[in-house]
Amino acid sequence: MYDQRVTIREAVRRIENGDYLLPAIQREIVWEREQITDLFDSVLQGYPIGTFLYWDLHEENWDEYTMYGFIKNYITSTKWIETDAQTRNSKAKPDGAGDLKLILDGQQRLSSFYIGLKGTYTYKEPYQWYRNRSSWTKSRLYLNLSADPRVKAEEGGDRNTRYQFEFLSAEKYDQALVRHEDDWWFRAGAILNYSDTMELRDYIDKKTAGLEIENEGVFRQNLFDLQQAVHDQKYITYFEEQKQDIDRVLEIFIRTNDGGTQLSKSDLLLSIAQANWKEYDAREELTSFVDHLNTQLPMTNSYGKDFLLKSSLVLADLPVRYRVSQFKRENVAKMEAEWPEIRRAIEEAATLVNNFGIGGQTLLSRNAVIPIAYYFKQTGLTAEKLRRDERERVQTKRDIKRWLLTSLLHGTFSGSADSVLNRIREVLNDEPGETFPVAAIETEMADLGKVTGFNEEMIDNVLEYTKGGNRTFLTLTLLYDQIDFGSIQYHQDHIFPSALLTEDRLLESGLDRDRAKAFDAHADRLANLQLLTGRENEAKQDTPVEEWLASRDESFYDRHLIPTDPETHRIENFDLFLERRSELIREELQSVLGPIEE
């Protein structure tokens, strides 16, 4: 039924008491800070924030469904640092003392009110390294009481906000009223202590008496507007589904959310799996497995639910195209029946890829792991067995590595991943056995118009890669041994500084114009790039190559594949340097990928 309304304060109280929970078909919170501050601005401006959809689950059915609580202290990612904050909701059980509602639509808005008024939001500062605890800021929501809401806080654009809400560092600001950038700011959650207008007026009188406030009228009005929005106005208008049929509830949920903006396709598919899996808790299985793949394997990875759901379709021999319609009850049942083997195969494939030195930063297409997982499921082999049986399976391992790396460098999965996966699966089924059928796969890929294999043309293309590209970084990592590119941040650095290779600088140094133009055009090419740590890069800066290389030892030349002839280190011989280093790169790629195909 419609036209049921509660205040934001009442909704937050019900979340706090566990009267509002989330069904397992829901996703995690995904809103950014700006979306939360915009929501609070909307309610203070009196804008409608949409209706909500609740499921009134009867007490006799509580034990049949998995439920989750709301997140109070949120962090955008927990895999990098130790923290008590959450990025995912925890399971919850109703205590039987309240009127239980499961939130089908409105989780993001309710979570935002809860975090903004009762909790914290921890985020990584831009351009900071993930693994440093100091890169993360725990913050609370504050309202700028000095800003006049009659003047727009954001001119232009689509936001048109008037009330200045901002998440301020909890470490720097721990009082209800704080001074920040010459303005007075009030912690939004503190308004929960002042439901009575007279109490709020007394609070304002006490505070303003001892403070220097330029515009006391604006100060007061902002606080009264916040109080009215949270305590008085019934902004939470909801429709309540009374029927206890999970299929009906799931259909309502999908129709409500399958608009292309609210939920991602993976969220919807996971919801369908959650509602239909019988033996396993789909949400727990997939989210915990994502964490395992990303943090517990030989390298740090960046897999997601989309990858697992796509992999499950392929490995269960279901239609590959990623549509909600593919997740019919019988298809979902087939995925669940094969889940233990699907999970094993995916983990083995991801482990093998890590063993090849490819991880989160260098795995340019996670779809490239899926055929390897299908191969492991088909053969029953493991990454450890391939490693242990060095003599017996050395060629198989080389074939898989060569196929994977060339596929990534060619961009085989870009543009038509479904067709590529479908064709490769057909090849693996047509040619069963413990060998990996690279030749047959490449024939199929060529039929799709994909460039395949490791040949002179490919090396020529690779040597054309320029600074900043993902494929450039991947190629550079192949030139280095024994480096974990997930634990240390490496920079693509010019060997000959680009600042010294501009046409004007080269002309000033006496080079003729044609060579100056050519040198300038080739400054960003792969043969003039290396990987350095931030500290190494800072130490090098724009030091002339001849001077800088003279201070390096022999191991540095070997590690970075730099020609040792001092003549190639002179800027006027930059073309000779590129030629010599290109040959060294060519040789190293052959040692990694095997002999060039004729």
Side-chain angles (χ1 to χ4, degrees):
M1 60 189 75
Y2 275 112
D3 205 26
Q4 299 192 77
R5 301 170 181 265
V6 296
T7 64
I8 294 172
R9 171 67 186 97
E10 177 64 13
V12 168
R13 185 191 68 80
R14 293 189 184 185
I15 292 173
E16 190 88 341
N17 292 344
D19 297 335
Y20 286 180
L21 294 176
L22 301 167
I25 59 176
Q26 271 285 16
R27 58 179 172 176
E28 291 88 18
I29 183 172
V30 295
W31 272 21
E32 303 287 345
R33 285 172 292 151
E34 185 178 277
Q35 292 173 286
I36 297 176
T37 57
D38 283 359
L39 177 65
F40 274 86
D41 172 77
S42 293
V43 296
L44 263 67
Q45 289 198 58
Y47 292 162
I49 58 172
T51 56
F52 294 70
L53 177 61
Y54 294 178
W55 183 18
D56 183 18
L57 185 63
H58 298 169
E59 186 172 356
E60 63 268 20
N61 296 322
W62 287 358
D63 291 337
E64 294 186 25
Y65 300 102
T66 302
M67 306 174 203
Y68 292 81
F70 282 79
I71 293 176
K72 183 176 184 179
N73 296 301
Y74 177 72
I75 184 171
T76 54
S77 174
T78 57
K79 73 178 183 178
W80 304 104
I81 60 171
E82 292 294 328
T83 176
D84 293 332
Q86 298 174 267
T87 189
R88 289 183 175 147
N89 307 79
S90 298
K91 283 186 177 180
K93 282 188 173 295
D95 59 14
D99 179 21
L100 179 65
K101 311 291 185 189
L102 299 187
I103 310 304
L104 298 177
D105 186 35
Q107 178 204 0
Q108 304 299 322
R109 288 165 287 170
L110 289 173
S111 294
S112 297
F113 288 135
Y114 190 41
I115 291 169
L117 295 175
K118 300 288 286 188
T120 60
Y121 192 112
T122 301
Y123 60 93
K124 189 185 74 66
E125 295 288 351
Y127 314 115
Q128 300 296 314
W129 187 229
Y130 281 92
R131 297 180 187 275
N132 293 338
R133 184 64 185 85
S134 60
S135 301
W136 296 82
T137 297
K138 181 179 180 180
S139 64
R140 293 190 179 93
L141 184 66
Y142 278 79
L143 169 63
N144 187 350
L145 301 182
S146 302
D148 189 344
R150 291 170 296 184
V151 179
K152 291 183 181 180
E154 294 281 348
E155 293 293 344
D158 297 326
R159 296 180 66 199
N160 292 323
T161 59
R162 291 183 179 271
Y163 293 85
Q164 291 186 24
F165 284 95
E166 187 175 330
F167 281 92
L168 302 183
S169 168
E171 182 178 350
K172 294 179 181 179
Y173 304 102
D174 61 354
Q175 300 297 316
L177 186 65
V178 301
R179 191 76 165 167
H180 171 64
E181 295 182 350
D182 298 326
D183 289 334
W184 289 104
W185 294 72
F186 183 78
R187 191 174 72 242
I191 201 66
L192 295 173
N193 299 322
Y194 301 101
S195 59
D196 183 80
T197 302
M198 292 302 296
E199 289 180 355
L200 181 60
R201 183 172 287 113
D202 289 344
Y203 170 81
I204 295 173
D205 289 342
K206 290 178 182 178
K207 287 298 182 181
T208 55
L211 300 177
E212 295 182 6
I213 298 176
E214 294 183 6
N215 193 334
E216 188 176 321
V218 170
F219 184 100
R220 288 175 175 273
Q221 191 59 53
N222 277 317
L223 276 174
F224 282 122
D225 289 349
L226 180 61
Q227 182 201 47
Q228 184 180 40
V230 172
H231 288 284
D232 299 337
Q233 296 295 327
K234 293 186 176 182
Y235 276 109
I236 312 299
T237 302
Y238 61 92
F239 171 84
E240 189 174 274
E241 173 58 37
Q242 296 282 345
K243 294 187 177 180
Q244 304 297 291
D245 182 3
I246 182 61
D247 288 331
R248 173 180 168 81
V249 169
L250 182 60
E251 180 65 23
I252 292 172
F253 177 76
I254 293 173
R255 291 194 180 195
T256 302
N257 290 289
D258 193 15
T261 55
Q262 291 97 334
L263 266 70
S264 69
K265 193 171 291 186
S266 66
D267 289 314
L268 286 170
L269 299 185
L270 181 57
S271 298
I272 298 171
Q274 177 65 38
N276 286 281
W277 277 20
K278 304 303 181 185
E279 182 177 352
Y280 297 98
D281 183 322
R283 175 168 167 168
E284 285 294 314
E285 280 290 323
L286 270 67
T287 54
S288 63
F289 189 37
V290 164
D291 288 341
H292 176 75
L293 292 175
N294 290 338
T295 62
Q296 303 299 316
L297 298 191
M299 296 179 69
T300 301
N301 297 297
S302 56
Y303 295 102
K305 297 191 297 290
D306 280 294
F307 166 77
L308 291 186
L309 291 164
K310 171 71 78 175
S311 298
S312 297
L313 287 174
V314 176
L315 271 63
D317 288 305
L318 295 169
V320 174
R321 195 168 183 185
Y322 202 1
R323 285 182 169 179
V324 174
S325 61
Q326 301 301 99
F327 281 63
K328 299 174 183 176
R329 188 184 298 273
E330 58 270 26
N331 287 351
V332 170
K334 189 174 191 297
M335 285 170 52
E336 183 183 24
E338 298 189 23
W339 174 245
E341 187 57 23
I342 290 173
R343 176 184 172 121
R344 183 201 71 82
I346 292 173
E347 181 170 359
E348 295 298 338
T351 300
L352 182 65
V353 170
N354 282 173
N355 290 343
F356 292 155
I358 304 298
Q361 288 183 274
T362 48
L363 184 59
L364 306 185
S365 172
R366 286 172 286 280
N367 283 327
V369 180
I370 298 177
I372 302 174
Y374 193 90
Y375 167 79
F376 276 126
K377 181 173 181 284
Q378 187 182 53
T379 62
L381 290 173
T382 66
E384 175 61 20
K385 190 169 182 61
L386 283 180
R387 186 192 67 80
R388 191 173 62 246
D389 298 345
E390 189 65 35
R391 289 186 180 179
E392 183 180 349
R393 305 185 194 280
V394 63
Q395 190 57 51
T396 297
K397 189 165 67 172
R398 285 176 179 170
D399 287 344
I400 296 174
K401 181 178 182 180
R402 182 184 176 107
W403 171 82
L404 172 68
L405 293 175
T406 55
S407 295
L408 295 176
L409 291 172
H410 284 308
T412 301
F413 289 86
S414 61
S416 54
D418 288 348
S419 298
V420 170
L421 287 169
N422 194 55
R423 291 285 191 97
I424 294 176
R425 185 172 65 179
E426 290 175 0
V427 170
L428 291 171
N429 281 322
D430 289 342
E431 299 195 20
E434 294 192 357
T435 59
F436 193 75
V438 176
I441 290 174
E442 290 184 351
T443 297
E444 286 294 319
M445 295 302 97
D447 188 55
L448 284 175
K450 300 287 184 179
V451 180
T452 63
F454 178 53
N455 49 38
E456 291 286 354
E457 181 182 0
M458 175 185 172
I459 292 184
D460 290 340
N461 289 337
V462 166
L463 290 170
E464 294 290 320
Y465 290 168
T466 57
K467 184 181 180 184
N470 290 333
R471 294 185 195 178
T472 306
F473 183 73
L474 170 60
T475 305
L476 287 170
T477 65
L478 300 181
L479 308 180
Y480 293 81
D481 292 328
Q482 307 302 320
I483 293 181
D484 180 359
F485 292 97
S487 61
I488 299 176
Q489 189 172 27
Y490 285 86
H491 299 260
Q492 297 182 37
D493 173 69
H494 294 97
I495 298 174
F496 279 77
S498 57
L500 303 180
L501 287 171
T502 64
E503 184 177 348
D504 290 341
R505 289 286 294 272
L506 292 168
L507 289 173
E508 290 174 5
S509 69
L511 217 64
D512 66 75
R513 186 171 297 277
D514 288 342
R515 295 188 76 206
K517 285 184 176 180
F519 285 13
D520 193 348
H522 289 79
D524 285 343
R525 293 291 174 85
L526 179 73
N528 189 37
L529 300 177
Q530 62 187 340
L531 292 180
L532 296 180
T533 64
R535 182 174 298 178
E536 289 174 324
N537 194 19
E538 184 178 345
K540 175 177 176 286
Q541 293 184 338
D542 290 336
T543 305
V545 173
E546 194 172 2
E547 175 185 336
W548 182 65
L549 288 179
S551 65
R552 306 294 99 181
D553 58 25
E554 185 177 342
S555 65
F556 185 88
Y557 287 85
D558 292 339
R559 183 156 59 100
H560 294 281
L561 301 177
I562 292 176
T564 57
D565 183 357
E567 286 299 308
T568 64
H569 305 162
R570 299 168 63 86
I571 198 162
E572 61 268 27
N573 293 328
F574 179 58
D575 50 355
L576 179 60
F577 172 85
L578 293 179
E579 180 183 336
R580 297 277 180 83
R581 190 159 189 264
S582 294
E583 286 304 314
L584 293 174
I585 291 173
R586 186 182 299 268
E587 291 170 8
E588 184 63 23
L589 287 176
Q590 289 184 56
S591 72
V592 173
L593 296 174
I596 294 176
E597 299 168 4
E598 298 295 333

